[in-house]
Amino acid sequence: MGLLVPSTAFGEKDHAITQIRSSGSQTKSSDLDSDQQRRPPLVTSTVASRSRSQHRDDLWYNFVPAVVMTTLPFISILGVLLYLVFSRRLERGTSSLSELRLPGDNDDPGAYFVDFNATHLTTLASWASTIAGLSPGFIMTLVSYRVARRLSRYSVNRQIENLPTTYQLGLLFEGFEAKLTSLWDTLWYLVGKRRHRINGLLSYTLTFLLLASTLSTVIWAVDTWFQVTMSAVIVSQMSSSKSAAQAYGDKIPDTCISSFNPATLMAPQPCIGPAYLGDPYQIIMNVSSHRQILTGSHNGTDFSFLAPANLRPDVDFKATTFAASSSCYPISRRCNMAFQYFNQPKGERTGGLAFNCSENFKGNVDFFHRGNQEYYSTPCINNQAGCVGFFSDSSLNIPFNNTSFDHTLNAANQRQANPFFAGVLGYFIISDGITGLESDPEVSAGVGKWFILGCEITIHEYTYIWINNTITSGTITPASDEVAAVVRQVITLNDPSAYQQFAYNVQLSTFMSNTSSQIAASYARHLEKTLLAWSAASWEPTPTQQEQIRRNLLVTRVPKTPLFTLVTLCLLFVALSVTITVIVLLDESGPTSEIQSRLNVFGLVASRFGGAERSEASPGSQEDGSEEGDARSEDTKIGIVKTRLGGWNYVSF
């Protein structure tokens, strides 16, 4: 076989083409010299020289695009990505008020929070892996220039042992096209039977192919990791409130404390705010413009408490207000509740409902029965207006009055006005919705159903912390005698609206209950709200104890480790490209670009089928190796036919 090597690639003075013929595994230098003397040099104008402009055009066609595509896209993507991360990075700020801090308010040391759309940031990051997947081909284009120069040097210096075999030349072509199959083919070449060692040019090419492909794959993997771990999250940004503190707390007016009478445990009349000033019905239904009633729990104690209406959603605060807790239980049997009937003429039957809980909470409810109807007189006598009586003792024997409070003694034998107690007489008619109460032992027999509840009520001071529109913590303590006195006295002012609400509470509780215990639990919640709503006008708004502004923002959480790993790998790819570029530029001498343009399938086709003049000519482009670039010549057609030995071979027509 023969290899045509242009002498200009070897830096010799003449411009001839020397044909080196090989017979056997090694060519003798004497044969080369004699053959060179016998064969006149083939000199054409196209082979003789190539203009500087043609050389520059070839660089712009292959070399410069390869350099640009392996550096500029990575630098641009990384620049924009890092600019967005650090220019739009959210400085969250740490709350100086430890009580108004949530666990999630602490900075995440492993991530940046960026005020930029997560989808757009993910799309931008994905371009890095896209460019990385295209870059190995451009890297191998740069590598091919270095291989072309070495191939030329080995050929002119007749270093035959450093030249590739035909199969190794095919592996080189695969490598220049960045085909990973060349690595697989090389592996089989290594483990298979071969007569030649791996050529240095092939090792050089495959090393950079493996390096570029590995970097590309790792960039893709890290980019995927980066996109998976990047997410849209809601974070809070805290700052001090620059305006006056919000009046979200409640307290008893100072004048009421100073004028409180400890002997009678009574508050002065001016301290008892008229309930209508506080819009109690609106408050109890939570439609008031300035107050609402919320519920809470602390150490197993359920309670209701007053809170401001229309809270600012961006304000976290700590405030103190008033709360009420109540526990009720059925006491009908304890009070010996029973019916007595008396037959009367004309089919009428009269009688009475008797109950006796204590000397001051007892009575009879007269009724008469005509046909299928029972008629009752009002059960709400004197101190039981609204079917409720309030007392200072759990035996329901010491009622309230408007001049003094007969207090009880606590465990330390001290006077106490808090808690206080209530007795409730309730009535309802059996309907389809209340079937479970017919057999309840705490409910009277007959069409009309009666029951009695005993309730214990405690007024509290409730200090709570409100963060991000939620109560995060709070503490309750029994309120002072002054506060409890105000709540009691509001109820004992004989306000008809309060008594009507107590009667309404009975109806609400029985409608939604199937047992007397359920009635008691439901009535306890309604009782708490009624006491708070009717006493709301007596309190004085007070500023919050602590306060801050919280802004909740939807941002992108950018993890640091995947981000900087991706940046590092992309910069390594750029460094690889720059390194190969510098090596090629420093070693660029002679027609390296021209030789490089031959190291591909087009160059091989031109050498095999382009004819002597075209295969030996200096191509300006890949098309110059065929007749397609010359309108004066007839195109050569390539086919494949079966040989005499049974194989297949190319043939030109």
Side-chain angles (χ1 to χ4, degrees):
M1 60 173 291
L3 175 64
L4 299 179
V5 183
S7 60
T8 54
F10 307 148
E12 296 185 354
K13 296 179 180 179
D14 64 300
H15 303 288
I17 295 180
T18 304
Q19 185 178 30
I20 303 174
R21 298 189 180 277
S22 175
S23 58
S25 60
Q26 185 176 4
T27 304
K28 298 180 180 180
S29 60
S30 59
D31 295 337
L32 291 172
D33 293 339
S34 61
D35 183 69
Q36 192 174 23
Q37 294 173 358
R38 290 194 305 269
R39 183 180 177 86
L42 299 177
V43 181
T44 64
S45 60
T46 56
V47 177
S49 65
R50 190 181 183 192
S51 67
R52 293 180 181 270
S53 61
Q54 287 178 317
H55 183 61
R56 287 196 299 269
D57 290 344
D58 186 70
L59 286 177
W60 281 106
Y61 183 79
N62 280 328
F63 185 78
V64 173
V67 175
V68 171
M69 290 303 296
T70 52
T71 55
L72 187 59
F74 284 117
I75 294 175
S76 301
I77 292 172
L78 294 181
V80 174
L81 181 62
L82 292 176
Y83 171 77
L84 289 175
V85 168
F86 289 101
S87 66
R88 306 294 292 273
R89 179 185 174 187
L90 178 67
E91 297 294 340
R92 300 181 61 186
T94 302
S95 174
S96 60
L97 307 173
S98 59
E99 290 185 296
L100 300 184
R101 188 182 306 160
L102 294 174
D105 290 341
N106 297 324
D107 283 332
D108 186 350
Y112 297 117
F113 294 98
V114 181
D115 188 13
F116 193 76
N117 185 278
T119 302
H120 295 166
L121 207 59
T122 302
T123 302
L124 177 62
S126 67
W127 292 347
S129 58
T130 301
I131 298 300
L134 301 175
S135 296
F138 294 105
I139 288 290
M140 297 315 297
T141 298
L142 299 177
V143 171
S144 67
Y145 281 86
R146 176 69 171 168
V147 172
R149 180 58 183 156
R150 287 189 177 185
L151 185 62
S152 171
R153 184 182 297 117
Y154 294 155
S155 299
V156 74
N157 293 332
R158 301 176 183 178
Q159 298 176 357
I160 307 300
E161 67 280 2
N162 292 330
L163 296 175
T165 64
T166 55
Y167 187 78
Q168 291 174 353
L169 183 64
L171 294 177
L172 276 176
F173 285 175
E174 281 189 330
F176 293 154
E177 295 177 2
K179 290 183 177 180
L180 293 179
T181 54
S182 63
L183 298 176
W184 181 256
D185 292 339
T186 303
L187 179 62
W188 279 107
Y189 183 72
L190 288 172
V191 300
K193 295 181 180 180
R194 65 184 192 282
R195 294 178 299 168
H196 301 277
R197 64 179 178 83
I198 290 293
N199 181 264
L201 297 178
L202 181 59
S203 298
Y204 179 84
T205 300
L206 295 182
T207 297
F208 279 102
L209 174 60
L210 181 61
L211 186 58
S213 299
T214 301
L215 271 177
S216 174
T217 302
V218 174
I219 288 175
W220 169 83
V222 172
D223 191 26
T224 302
W225 173 32
F226 180 53
Q227 295 178 50
V228 169
T229 53
M230 184 164 48
S231 59
V233 297
I234 295 178
V235 298
S236 298
Q237 189 176 39
M238 284 74 66
S239 61
S240 300
S241 178
K242 298 180 180 179
S243 59
Q246 304 294 320
Y248 285 165
D250 289 294
K251 72 171 187 175
I252 186 172
D254 294 337
T255 56
C256 296
I257 297 177
S258 60
S259 59
F260 180 73
N261 187 345
T264 60
L265 295 178
M266 299 293 288
Q269 190 64 31
C271 295
I272 312 303
Y276 62 85
L277 294 179
D279 299 324
Y281 284 112
Q282 295 184 17
I283 294 175
I284 206 168
M285 292 185 291
N286 280 341
V287 295
S288 170
S289 60
H290 62 283
R291 298 280 190 174
Q292 62 177 326
I293 296 178
L294 304 177
T295 59
S297 179
H298 181 73
N299 293 335
T301 300
D302 296 328
F303 57 89
S304 301
F305 66 96
L306 277 176
N310 302 318
L311 291 168
R312 281 183 54 181
D314 61 337
V315 174
D316 299 340
F317 63 89
K318 177 181 180 181
T320 298
T321 186
F322 297 115
S325 64
S326 175
S327 59
C328 297
Y329 36 87
I331 59 172
S332 301
R333 288 184 293 178
R334 178 189 129 185
C335 295
N336 298 314
M337 185 179 66
F339 275 100
Q340 294 178 348
Y341 289 96
F342 307 96
N343 292 323
Q344 297 292 337
K346 300 181 180 179
E348 293 183 359
R349 188 171 57 168
T350 62
L353 175 69
F355 66 94
N356 186 3
C357 300
S358 68
E359 283 298 320
N360 290 302
F361 190 52
K362 63 182 179 178
N364 295 291
V365 180
D366 296 330
F367 72 91
F368 68 93
H369 183 92
R370 179 179 297 167
N372 293 326
Q373 299 295 325
E374 290 184 348
Y375 301 91
Y376 298 87
S377 61
T378 175
C380 303
I381 57 177
N382 297 333
N383 62 346
Q384 295 154 10
C387 305
V388 178
F390 290 95
F391 303 85
S392 62
D393 62 329
S394 59
S395 61
L396 309 179
N397 192 41
I398 307 175
F400 291 166
N401 59 53
N402 291 328
T403 59
S404 65
F405 179 70
D406 294 327
H407 58 275
T408 58
L409 300 177
N410 60 16
N413 205 34
Q414 296 173 336
R415 294 158 53 90
Q416 67 175 36
N418 195 22
F420 54 95
F421 304 87
V424 182
L425 178 63
Y427 166 78
F428 62 93
I429 298 177
I430 287 295
S431 64
D432 292 338
I434 316 177
T435 58
L437 292 170
E438 294 181 356
S439 58
D440 194 297
E442 295 289 345
V443 177
S444 67
V447 176
K449 299 298 180 180
W450 295 84
F451 61 88
I452 301 176
L453 302 178
C455 300
E456 179 179 335
I457 304 148
T458 304
I459 306 301
H460 305 274
E461 285 189 355
Y462 179 46
T463 300
Y464 64 101
I465 295 176
W466 181 277
I467 300 179
N468 208 19
N469 297 312
T470 304
I471 295 177
T472 59
S473 62
T475 57
I476 57 173
T477 57
S480 64
D481 285 342
E482 294 90 338
V483 173
V486 170
V487 176
R488 293 194 321 267
Q489 289 173 246
V490 168
I491 301 304
T492 58
L493 285 176
N494 295 320
D495 184 352
S497 63
Y499 301 142
Q500 292 169 7
Q501 185 62 38
F502 289 135
Y504 181 60
N505 292 344
V506 170
Q507 303 305 313
L508 288 177
S509 301
T510 55
F511 181 75
M512 302 299 295
S513 304
N514 291 319
T515 65
S516 58
S517 297
Q518 292 178 0
I519 293 176
S522 177
Y523 188 85
R525 303 286 79 78
H526 291 300
L527 180 59
E528 295 168 357
K529 296 179 180 180
T530 301
L531 295 174
L532 291 173
W534 260 259
S535 62
S538 301
W539 313 127
E540 179 181 309
T542 184
T544 57
Q545 300 168 22
Q546 294 182 9
E547 186 176 309
Q548 70 179 10
I549 304 299
R550 175 183 296 268
R551 293 174 58 230
N552 292 325
L553 302 173
L554 180 63
V555 298
T556 302
R557 182 184 181 275
V558 179
K560 293 181 181 180
T561 301
L563 171 65
F564 291 120
T565 303
L566 179 63
V567 170
T568 301
L569 291 173
C570 290
L571 291 179
L572 283 176
F573 210 111
V574 172
L576 177 64
S577 173
V578 171
T579 300
I580 299 174
T581 301
V582 171
I583 292 174
V584 171
L585 292 177
L586 292 177
D587 199 33
E588 174 71 14
S589 62
T592 302
S593 299
E594 182 178 327
I595 299 172
Q596 186 271 345
S597 66
R598 293 284 187 177
L599 294 180
N600 51 47
V601 174
F602 292 101
L604 189 61
V605 170
S607 175
R608 179 68 174 80
F609 301 107
E613 182 176 356
R614 293 190 180 279
S615 63
E616 297 172 5
S618 175
S621 65
Q622 292 176 343
E623 289 83 358
D624 291 345
S626 66
E627 296 88 347
E628 294 183 27
D630 189 354
R632 297 171 299 175
S633 61
E634 183 179 356
D635 289 342
T636 300
K637 305 295 183 179
I638 308 299
I640 188 168
V641 296
K642 195 170 185 178
T643 64
R644 292 178 301 167
L645 300 179
W648 296 87
N649 200 1
Y650 292 102
V651 63
S652 60
F653 298 96

